[in-house]
Amino acid sequence: MSTDRLTTLLDEYAELEKRLADPAIHADQNTARRVGRRFAALAPLYKAAGELEVARADLEAARELAAEDASFAAEAEAIAARLPGLEERLAELLIPRDPHDAKDVILEIKAGEGGEESALFAGDLLRMYVRYAERHGWVTEVIDAQDSDLGGVKDVSLAVKTKGVPEGGNGVWSRLKWEGGVHRVQRVPVTESQGRIHTSAAGVLVLPEAEDVDVSIDPNDLRIDVFRSSGPGGQSVNTTDSAVRITHLPTGIVVSCQNEKSQLQNREQAMRILRARLLAAAQEQADAAASDARRSQVRTVDRSERIRTYNFPQNRITDHRIGYTAYNLDLVLAGDVDGVLDALAEADRQARLAGETTLSR
């Protein structure tokens, strides 16, 4: 156990507690929320360190009493038996965690190969994540969407947020970061007249939503184009140049939004997505500069990896990264995703305890 790291984090916890007690910090809600999230993330460590300190003091006292009165020996043994568990818990909490765990996310779903069937599956995934968010009391917001002819989605950006400060620093990212990659579906498409099972896929990209302090964007690095919206959206569609396309020249990242009726609103939404993508790109560059393998949390921005299969005829869901299989696909698509996410989180926990840098695949 790193004593220096523990001391540093406990000092940080104490400093954050002082900052939150100062009424002045609440004049800036963004700062207050950021500090509150970090404070909440360190709270389990503070509690575990306190419990261990108390247990060690109690053990010392019990042993002193047992030297004079044998009846205290059993109490000393009971306290001593608890120490390894408390020490293991604290050691686990001292392992560096994903710095984005407390953040909200922007989740992008894109139809892949398979035409309308892929777009319909992308729509199924969108509804699955919205229902999952509802189960956890999170707030969802469709930032931008392009619908398909049969009611699916070709491309959608969904913001998912917690209400207030997430307990223990476990925000939306701590759960949905596992979802990035290629999701494959096997079923009989509605467009198939022969009843044959087809395979298609949709890509999911999960980005921690960036705050202004996370990413600095020079306005001179942006090229902003406006164009006429297409599809549903009200009377202004096809009559005004309200859609916005933003190109970040240094990186070549392009973001467009057309859901809102005003050009200003579409620009604000596009900037949210751009900040999130730049934050993810900066994280990847930092990992590469450190000559370290990309952690599974970072790998979620890579669509090239097929992570999961949804087999409708067998009502089966399989996550290929950890060999997880369950036969409750109907419940999963209704928002009951915790089973597979819990398995992924546990696999990552075991990998971190073993000192590995990536989730086992």
Coordinates of all heavy atoms in Angstrom, one line a residue, residues 4-83:
D4 N 2.4 7.3 0.7 CA 2.5 8.6 0.2 C 1.3 9.0 -0.6 O 0.7 10.1 -0.5 CB 3.8 8.8 -0.7 CG 5.1 8.7 0.1 OD1 5.0 8.9 1.3 OD2 6.1 8.5 -0.5
R5 N 0.8 8.0 -1.5 CA -0.4 8.3 -2.3 C -1.6 8.4 -1.4 O -2.4 9.3 -1.6 CB -0.6 7.1 -3.3 CG -1.8 7.2 -4.1 CD -1.9 6.3 -5.2 NE -3.2 6.2 -5.9 CZ -3.7 7.1 -6.7 NH1 -3.0 8.2 -7.0 NH2 -4.9 7.0 -7.2
L6 N -1.7 7.6 -0.4 CA -2.8 7.7 0.6 C -2.9 9.1 1.2 O -3.9 9.8 1.3 CB -2.8 6.6 1.6 CG -3.9 6.7 2.7 CD1 -5.2 6.6 2.1 CD2 -3.6 5.5 3.7
T7 N -1.7 9.5 1.7 CA -1.6 10.8 2.4 C -2.0 12.0 1.4 O -2.7 12.9 1.8 CB -0.2 11.1 2.9 OG1 0.2 10.0 3.8 CG2 -0.1 12.4 3.6
T8 N -1.5 11.9 0.2 CA -1.8 12.9 -0.8 C -3.3 13.0 -1.1 O -3.9 14.1 -1.2 CB -1.1 12.6 -2.1 OG1 0.3 12.6 -1.9 CG2 -1.4 13.6 -3.2
L9 N -4.0 11.8 -1.3 CA -5.4 11.8 -1.6 C -6.2 12.2 -0.4 O -7.3 12.9 -0.5 CB -5.8 10.4 -2.0 CG -5.2 9.9 -3.4 CD1 -5.6 8.5 -3.7 CD2 -5.7 10.9 -4.5
L10 N -5.8 11.9 0.8 CA -6.6 12.3 2.0 C -6.4 13.8 2.2 O -7.4 14.5 2.6 CB -6.1 11.6 3.2 CG -6.4 10.1 3.3 CD1 -5.9 9.4 4.6 CD2 -7.9 9.9 3.2
D11 N -5.3 14.4 1.9 CA -5.1 15.8 2.0 C -5.9 16.5 0.9 O -6.5 17.6 1.2 CB -3.6 16.2 1.7 CG -2.7 15.8 2.9 OD1 -3.2 15.5 4.0 OD2 -1.5 15.8 2.7
E12 N -6.0 15.9 -0.3 CA -6.9 16.5 -1.3 C -8.3 16.5 -0.9 O -9.1 17.4 -1.1 CB -6.7 15.7 -2.6 CG -7.6 16.3 -3.8 CD -7.5 15.5 -5.0 OE1 -6.7 14.4 -5.1 OE2 -8.2 15.8 -6.0
Y13 N -8.8 15.4 -0.2 CA -10.1 15.3 0.3 C -10.4 16.4 1.3 O -11.5 17.0 1.2 CB -10.3 13.9 0.9 CG -11.7 13.6 1.5 CD1 -12.7 13.1 0.7 CD2 -12.0 13.9 2.8 CE1 -14.0 12.9 1.2 CE2 -13.3 13.7 3.3 CZ -14.3 13.2 2.5 OH -15.5 13.0 3.0
A14 N -9.5 16.6 2.2 CA -9.7 17.6 3.2 C -9.8 19.0 2.6 O -10.6 19.9 3.0 CB -8.6 17.6 4.2
E15 N -9.0 19.3 1.5 CA -9.0 20.6 0.9 C -10.3 20.8 0.1 O -10.9 21.9 0.1 CB -7.8 20.6 -0.1 CG -7.7 21.9 -0.9 CD -7.6 23.2 0.0 OE1 -7.0 23.0 1.1 OE2 -8.0 24.3 -0.4
L16 N -10.8 19.7 -0.6 CA -12.0 19.8 -1.3 C -13.2 20.0 -0.3 O -14.1 20.8 -0.6 CB -12.3 18.5 -2.1 CG -11.3 18.2 -3.2 CD1 -11.5 16.8 -3.8 CD2 -11.5 19.3 -4.3
E17 N -13.1 19.4 0.9 CA -14.2 19.6 1.9 C -14.2 21.1 2.3 O -15.3 21.6 2.5 CB -13.9 18.7 3.1 CG -15.0 18.6 4.1 CD -14.8 17.6 5.2 OE1 -13.6 17.4 5.5 OE2 -15.8 17.0 5.6
K18 N -13.1 21.7 2.5 CA -13.0 23.1 2.8 C -13.6 24.0 1.7 O -14.4 24.9 2.0 CB -11.6 23.5 3.1 CG -11.0 23.0 4.4 CD -9.5 23.4 4.5 CE -8.9 22.9 5.8 NZ -7.5 23.3 5.9
R19 N -13.3 23.6 0.4 CA -13.8 24.4 -0.7 C -15.3 24.4 -0.8 O -16.0 25.3 -1.0 CB -13.1 24.0 -2.0 CG -11.7 24.2 -2.1 CD -11.2 23.9 -3.5 NE -11.7 24.7 -4.5 CZ -11.6 24.5 -5.8 NH1 -10.8 23.5 -6.3 NH2 -12.1 25.3 -6.7
L20 N -15.8 23.2 -0.6 CA -17.3 23.0 -0.7 C -18.0 23.7 0.5 O -19.2 24.0 0.3 CB -17.6 21.5 -0.7 CG -17.3 20.8 -2.0 CD1 -17.5 19.3 -1.9 CD2 -18.1 21.3 -3.2
A21 N -17.3 23.9 1.6 CA -17.9 24.5 2.8 C -17.9 26.1 2.6 O -18.7 26.8 3.3 CB -17.2 24.2 4.0
D22 N -17.2 26.6 1.6 CA -17.2 28.0 1.3 C -18.3 28.4 0.4 O -18.4 27.9 -0.8 CB -15.8 28.3 0.6 CG -15.7 29.8 0.4 OD1 -16.6 30.6 0.7 OD2 -14.6 30.2 -0.1
P23 N -19.3 29.2 0.9 CA -20.4 29.5 0.0 C -20.0 30.2 -1.3 O -20.8 30.1 -2.3 CB -21.2 30.6 0.9 CG -20.7 30.3 2.3 CD -19.3 29.8 2.2
A24 N -18.9 30.8 -1.4 CA -18.5 31.5 -2.6 C -18.4 30.5 -3.8 O -18.6 30.9 -5.0 CB -17.2 32.2 -2.4
I25 N -18.0 29.2 -3.6 CA -17.8 28.3 -4.7 C -19.1 28.0 -5.4 O -19.1 27.7 -6.6 CB -17.2 27.0 -4.2 CG1 -16.7 26.2 -5.4 CG2 -18.2 26.2 -3.4 CD1 -15.9 24.9 -5.0
H26 N -20.3 28.2 -4.7 CA -21.5 27.9 -5.3 C -22.1 28.9 -6.2 O -23.1 28.8 -6.8 CB -22.5 27.5 -4.2 CG -22.1 26.3 -3.4 ND1 -22.2 25.0 -3.8 CD2 -21.6 26.3 -2.1 CE1 -21.7 24.2 -2.9 NE2 -21.3 24.9 -1.9
A27 N -21.3 30.0 -6.3 CA -21.7 31.1 -7.3 C -21.4 30.6 -8.7 O -22.0 31.1 -9.6 CB -20.9 32.4 -7.0
D28 N -20.5 29.7 -8.8 CA -20.2 29.1 -10.1 C -20.6 27.6 -10.1 O -19.9 26.8 -9.5 CB -18.7 29.2 -10.4 CG -18.3 28.7 -11.8 OD1 -19.1 28.0 -12.4 OD2 -17.2 29.0 -12.3
Q29 N -21.7 27.3 -10.6 CA -22.3 26.0 -10.5 C -21.4 24.9 -11.2 O -21.3 23.8 -10.7 CB -23.7 25.9 -11.1 CG -24.7 26.6 -10.2 CD -24.8 26.0 -8.8 OE1 -24.9 24.8 -8.7 NE2 -24.7 26.8 -7.8
N30 N -20.8 25.3 -12.3 CA -19.9 24.3 -13.0 C -18.7 23.9 -12.1 O -18.3 22.8 -12.0 CB -19.4 24.9 -14.3 CG -20.5 25.0 -15.4 OD1 -21.4 24.2 -15.3 ND2 -20.4 26.0 -16.3
T31 N -18.1 25.0 -11.5 CA -17.0 24.7 -10.6 C -17.4 23.9 -9.4 O -16.8 22.9 -9.0 CB -16.3 26.0 -10.1 OG1 -15.8 26.7 -11.2 CG2 -15.2 25.7 -9.2
A32 N -18.6 24.2 -8.8 CA -19.1 23.5 -7.6 C -19.4 22.1 -8.0 O -19.1 21.2 -7.2 CB -20.4 24.2 -7.1
R33 N -19.9 21.8 -9.2 CA -20.2 20.4 -9.5 C -18.9 19.6 -9.8 O -18.8 18.5 -9.4 CB -21.1 20.4 -10.8 CG -21.7 19.1 -11.1 CD -22.5 19.1 -12.3 NE -23.3 17.8 -12.4 CZ -23.7 17.3 -13.5 NH1 -23.4 17.9 -14.7 NH2 -24.3 16.1 -13.6
R34 N -18.0 20.3 -10.4 CA -16.7 19.6 -10.7 C -16.0 19.2 -9.4 O -15.5 18.1 -9.2 CB -15.8 20.4 -11.5 CG -14.5 19.7 -12.0 CD -13.8 20.6 -13.0 NE -13.2 21.8 -12.5 CZ -13.7 23.0 -12.7 NH1 -14.8 23.1 -13.5 NH2 -13.2 24.1 -12.2
V35 N -15.9 20.2 -8.4 CA -15.3 19.9 -7.1 C -16.1 18.9 -6.4 O -15.6 18.0 -5.7 CB -15.2 21.2 -6.3 CG1 -14.7 20.9 -4.9 CG2 -14.3 22.2 -7.0
G36 N -17.5 19.0 -6.4 CA -18.3 18.0 -5.7 C -18.1 16.6 -6.3 O -18.1 15.6 -5.5
R37 N -17.9 16.4 -7.6 CA -17.7 15.1 -8.1 C -16.4 14.5 -7.6 O -16.3 13.3 -7.3 CB -17.7 15.2 -9.7 CG -19.1 15.3 -10.2 CD -19.1 15.4 -11.8 NE -20.4 15.2 -12.3 CZ -20.7 15.1 -13.6 NH1 -19.7 15.2 -14.5 NH2 -21.9 15.0 -14.0
R38 N -15.4 15.3 -7.6 CA -14.1 14.8 -7.2 C -14.1 14.5 -5.7 O -13.6 13.4 -5.2 CB -13.0 15.9 -7.4 CG -11.6 15.5 -6.9 CD -11.1 14.2 -7.6 NE -9.8 13.9 -7.2 CZ -9.2 12.7 -7.4 NH1 -9.9 11.7 -8.0 NH2 -8.0 12.4 -7.0
F39 N -14.8 15.3 -4.9 CA -15.0 15.0 -3.5 C -15.8 13.7 -3.3 O -15.4 12.8 -2.4 CB -15.8 16.1 -2.8 CG -16.0 16.0 -1.3 CD1 -15.0 16.2 -0.4 CD2 -17.3 15.6 -0.9 CE1 -15.2 16.1 0.9 CE2 -17.5 15.5 0.5 CZ -16.5 15.7 1.4
A40 N -16.8 13.5 -4.1 CA -17.6 12.2 -4.0 C -16.7 11.0 -4.4 O -16.9 9.9 -3.8 CB -18.8 12.3 -4.9
A41 N -15.8 11.2 -5.4 CA -15.0 10.1 -5.8 C -14.0 9.7 -4.8 O -13.6 8.5 -4.7 CB -14.3 10.5 -7.1
L42 N -13.6 10.6 -3.9 CA -12.6 10.3 -2.9 C -13.3 9.9 -1.6 O -12.6 9.4 -0.7 CB -11.7 11.6 -2.6 CG -10.7 12.0 -3.7 CD1 -10.0 13.3 -3.3 CD2 -9.7 10.9 -4.0
A43 N -14.6 10.1 -1.5 CA -15.3 9.7 -0.2 C -15.1 8.3 0.2 O -14.9 8.0 1.4 CB -16.7 10.1 -0.3
P44 N -15.2 7.3 -0.7 CA -15.0 5.9 -0.3 C -13.6 5.6 0.2 O -13.4 4.8 1.2 CB -15.3 5.1 -1.6 CG -16.1 6.0 -2.4 CD -15.7 7.4 -2.1
L45 N -12.6 6.3 -0.4 CA -11.2 6.1 0.1 C -11.1 6.7 1.5 O -10.5 6.1 2.4 CB -10.3 6.8 -0.8 CG -8.8 6.8 -0.4 CD1 -8.2 5.5 -0.6 CD2 -8.0 7.9 -1.2
Y46 N -11.7 7.9 1.8 CA -11.6 8.5 3.1 C -12.3 7.6 4.1 O -11.8 7.4 5.2 CB -12.3 9.9 3.0 CG -12.5 10.5 4.4 CD1 -11.4 11.3 4.9 CD2 -13.7 10.5 5.0 CE1 -11.5 11.9 6.2 CE2 -13.8 11.1 6.3 CZ -12.8 11.8 6.8 OH -12.9 12.4 8.0
K47 N -13.4 7.0 3.8 CA -14.2 6.2 4.7 C -13.4 4.9 5.0 O -13.3 4.5 6.2 CB -15.5 5.8 4.1 CG -16.4 4.9 5.0 CD -17.7 4.6 4.3 CE -18.5 3.6 5.2 NZ -19.8 3.3 4.6
A48 N -12.8 4.3 3.9 CA -12.1 3.0 4.1 C -10.8 3.3 5.0 O -10.5 2.5 5.9 CB -11.7 2.5 2.8
A49 N -10.1 4.4 4.8 CA -8.9 4.7 5.5 C -9.3 4.9 7.0 O -8.6 4.5 7.9 CB -8.2 6.0 5.0
G50 N -10.4 5.6 7.2 CA -10.9 5.8 8.6 C -11.2 4.6 9.3 O -10.9 4.4 10.5
E51 N -11.9 3.7 8.6 CA -12.3 2.4 9.2 C -11.1 1.6 9.6 O -11.0 0.9 10.6 CB -13.2 1.6 8.3 CG -14.6 2.2 8.1 CD -15.5 1.5 7.1 OE1 -14.9 0.6 6.3 OE2 -16.7 1.7 7.0
L52 N -10.1 1.6 8.7 CA -8.9 0.8 9.0 C -8.1 1.4 10.2 O -7.6 0.7 11.0 CB -8.0 0.8 7.7 CG -6.6 0.1 7.8 CD1 -6.9 -1.4 8.2 CD2 -5.8 0.1 6.6
E53 N -8.0 2.7 10.2 CA -7.3 3.4 11.3 C -8.0 3.0 12.7 O -7.3 2.7 13.7 CB -7.3 4.9 11.1 CG -6.6 5.7 12.2 CD -6.5 7.2 11.9 OE1 -7.1 7.6 10.9 OE2 -5.9 7.9 12.7
V54 N -9.4 3.1 12.7 CA -10.1 2.8 13.9 C -9.9 1.3 14.3 O -9.7 1.0 15.5 CB -11.6 3.1 13.7 CG1 -12.4 2.5 14.9 CG2 -11.8 4.6 13.6
A55 N -9.9 0.4 13.3 CA -9.7 -1.0 13.6 C -8.3 -1.3 14.2 O -8.2 -2.1 15.1 CB -10.0 -1.8 12.3
R56 N -7.3 -0.6 13.6 CA -6.0 -0.8 14.1 C -5.8 -0.3 15.6 O -5.2 -0.9 16.4 CB -5.0 -0.2 13.2 CG -4.7 -0.9 11.9 CD -3.9 -0.1 11.0 NE -3.5 -0.9 9.8 CZ -2.9 -0.4 8.7 NH1 -2.7 0.9 8.6 NH2 -2.6 -1.2 7.7
A57 N -6.5 0.8 15.9 CA -6.4 1.4 17.2 C -7.2 0.4 18.2 O -6.7 0.2 19.3 CB -7.0 2.8 17.2
D58 N -8.3 -0.1 17.7 CA -9.1 -1.0 18.6 C -8.3 -2.3 18.8 O -8.4 -2.8 20.0 CB -10.4 -1.3 17.9 CG -11.4 -0.2 17.9 OD1 -11.2 0.8 18.6 OD2 -12.4 -0.3 17.2
L59 N -7.6 -2.7 17.8 CA -6.8 -4.0 18.0 C -5.7 -3.8 19.0 O -5.5 -4.6 19.9 CB -6.2 -4.4 16.7 CG -5.3 -5.6 16.7 CD1 -6.1 -6.9 17.2 CD2 -4.7 -5.9 15.3
E60 N -5.0 -2.6 18.9 CA -4.0 -2.3 19.9 C -4.5 -2.3 21.3 O -3.9 -2.8 22.2 CB -3.3 -1.0 19.5 CG -2.1 -0.7 20.4 CD -1.4 0.6 20.0 OE1 -1.8 1.2 18.9 OE2 -0.5 1.1 20.7
A61 N -5.7 -1.6 21.4 CA -6.3 -1.5 22.8 C -6.7 -2.8 23.3 O -6.5 -3.2 24.5 CB -7.5 -0.5 22.7
A62 N -7.3 -3.7 22.4 CA -7.8 -5.0 22.8 C -6.6 -5.9 23.3 O -6.7 -6.6 24.2 CB -8.6 -5.6 21.7
R63 N -5.5 -5.8 22.6 CA -4.3 -6.6 22.9 C -3.8 -6.2 24.3 O -3.3 -7.0 25.1 CB -3.3 -6.5 21.8 CG -3.7 -7.4 20.6 CD -2.7 -7.2 19.5 NE -2.9 -8.2 18.4 CZ -2.4 -8.1 17.2 NH1 -1.5 -7.1 16.9 NH2 -2.6 -9.0 16.3
E64 N -3.8 -4.9 24.5 CA -3.3 -4.4 25.8 C -4.1 -4.9 26.9 O -3.6 -5.3 28.0 CB -3.2 -2.8 25.8 CG -2.1 -2.3 24.9 CD -2.2 -0.7 24.9 OE1 -3.1 -0.2 25.6 OE2 -1.3 -0.1 24.2
L65 N -5.5 -4.8 26.7 CA -6.4 -5.3 27.7 C -6.3 -6.8 27.9 O -6.4 -7.4 29.0 CB -7.8 -4.9 27.4 CG -8.1 -3.5 27.4 CD1 -9.5 -3.2 26.8 CD2 -8.1 -3.0 28.9
A66 N -6.0 -7.5 26.8 CA -5.9 -9.0 26.9 C -4.7 -9.4 27.7 O -4.7 -10.5 28.3 CB -5.9 -9.6 25.5
A67 N -3.7 -8.6 27.7 CA -2.5 -8.9 28.4 C -2.8 -8.9 29.9 O -2.1 -9.6 30.7 CB -1.4 -7.9 28.1
E68 N -3.8 -8.2 30.3 CA -4.2 -8.1 31.7 C -5.4 -9.0 32.0 O -5.6 -9.4 33.2 CB -4.5 -6.7 32.1 CG -3.3 -5.7 31.9 CD -3.6 -4.3 32.2 OE1 -4.8 -4.0 32.6 OE2 -2.8 -3.4 32.0
D69 N -6.3 -9.2 31.0 CA -7.5 -9.9 31.2 C -7.7 -10.8 30.0 O -8.0 -10.3 28.9 CB -8.7 -9.0 31.4 CG -10.0 -9.7 31.8 OD1 -10.0 -10.9 31.5 OD2 -10.9 -9.0 32.2
A70 N -7.6 -12.1 30.2 CA -7.7 -13.0 29.0 C -9.1 -13.0 28.3 O -9.2 -13.4 27.2 CB -7.4 -14.5 29.5
S71 N -10.1 -12.4 29.0 CA -11.4 -12.4 28.3 C -11.4 -11.5 27.1 O -12.3 -11.6 26.3 CB -12.5 -11.9 29.3 OG -12.2 -10.6 29.8
F72 N -10.4 -10.6 27.0 CA -10.4 -9.7 25.8 C -9.6 -10.3 24.6 O -9.6 -9.7 23.5 CB -9.6 -8.4 26.2 CG -10.5 -7.5 27.1 CD1 -10.3 -7.5 28.4 CD2 -11.4 -6.7 26.5 CE1 -11.1 -6.6 29.3 CE2 -12.2 -5.8 27.3 CZ -12.0 -5.8 28.7
A73 N -9.1 -11.5 24.8 CA -8.4 -12.2 23.7 C -9.2 -12.5 22.5 O -8.8 -12.3 21.3 CB -7.7 -13.5 24.2
A74 N -10.5 -12.9 22.8 CA -11.4 -13.2 21.7 C -11.7 -12.0 20.8 O -11.8 -12.0 19.6 CB -12.6 -13.9 22.2
E75 N -11.9 -10.9 21.5 CA -12.2 -9.6 20.9 C -11.0 -9.2 20.0 O -11.2 -8.7 18.8 CB -12.5 -8.5 21.9 CG -12.9 -7.2 21.2 CD -13.2 -6.1 22.2 OE1 -13.4 -6.5 23.4 OE2 -13.3 -4.9 21.8
A76 N -9.8 -9.3 20.5 CA -8.6 -9.0 19.8 C -8.5 -9.8 18.5 O -8.2 -9.3 17.4 CB -7.4 -9.1 20.6
E77 N -8.8 -11.1 18.6 CA -8.7 -12.0 17.5 C -9.8 -11.6 16.4 O -9.5 -11.7 15.2 CB -8.9 -13.5 17.9 CG -7.8 -14.0 18.7 CD -8.0 -15.4 19.2 OE1 -9.1 -16.0 18.8 OE2 -7.2 -16.0 19.9
A78 N -11.0 -11.3 16.9 CA -12.0 -10.9 15.9 C -11.6 -9.6 15.1 O -11.9 -9.5 13.9 CB -13.3 -10.7 16.7
I79 N -11.1 -8.7 15.8 CA -10.6 -7.4 15.2 C -9.5 -7.7 14.2 O -9.5 -7.2 13.1 CB -10.2 -6.4 16.2 CG1 -11.4 -6.0 17.1 CG2 -9.6 -5.2 15.5 CD1 -11.0 -5.1 18.3
A80 N -8.5 -8.6 14.6 CA -7.4 -8.9 13.8 C -7.9 -9.6 12.5 O -7.3 -9.4 11.4 CB -6.4 -9.8 14.5
A81 N -9.0 -10.4 12.6 CA -9.5 -11.1 11.4 C -10.1 -10.2 10.4 O -10.2 -10.5 9.2 CB -10.5 -12.2 11.9
R82 N -10.6 -9.0 10.9 CA -11.2 -8.0 10.0 C -10.1 -7.2 9.2 O -10.4 -6.7 8.2 CB -12.1 -7.1 10.8 CG -13.3 -7.7 11.3 CD -14.1 -6.6 12.2 NE -14.2 -5.4 11.5 CZ -14.1 -4.2 12.0 NH1 -13.7 -4.1 13.3 NH2 -14.2 -3.1 11.3
L83 N -8.9 -7.1 9.8 CA -7.9 -6.2 9.2 C -7.6 -6.5 7.7 O -7.5 -5.6 6.9 CB -6.7 -6.2 10.0 CG -6.8 -5.4 11.3 CD1 -5.4 -5.4 12.1 CD2 -7.2 -3.9 11.1

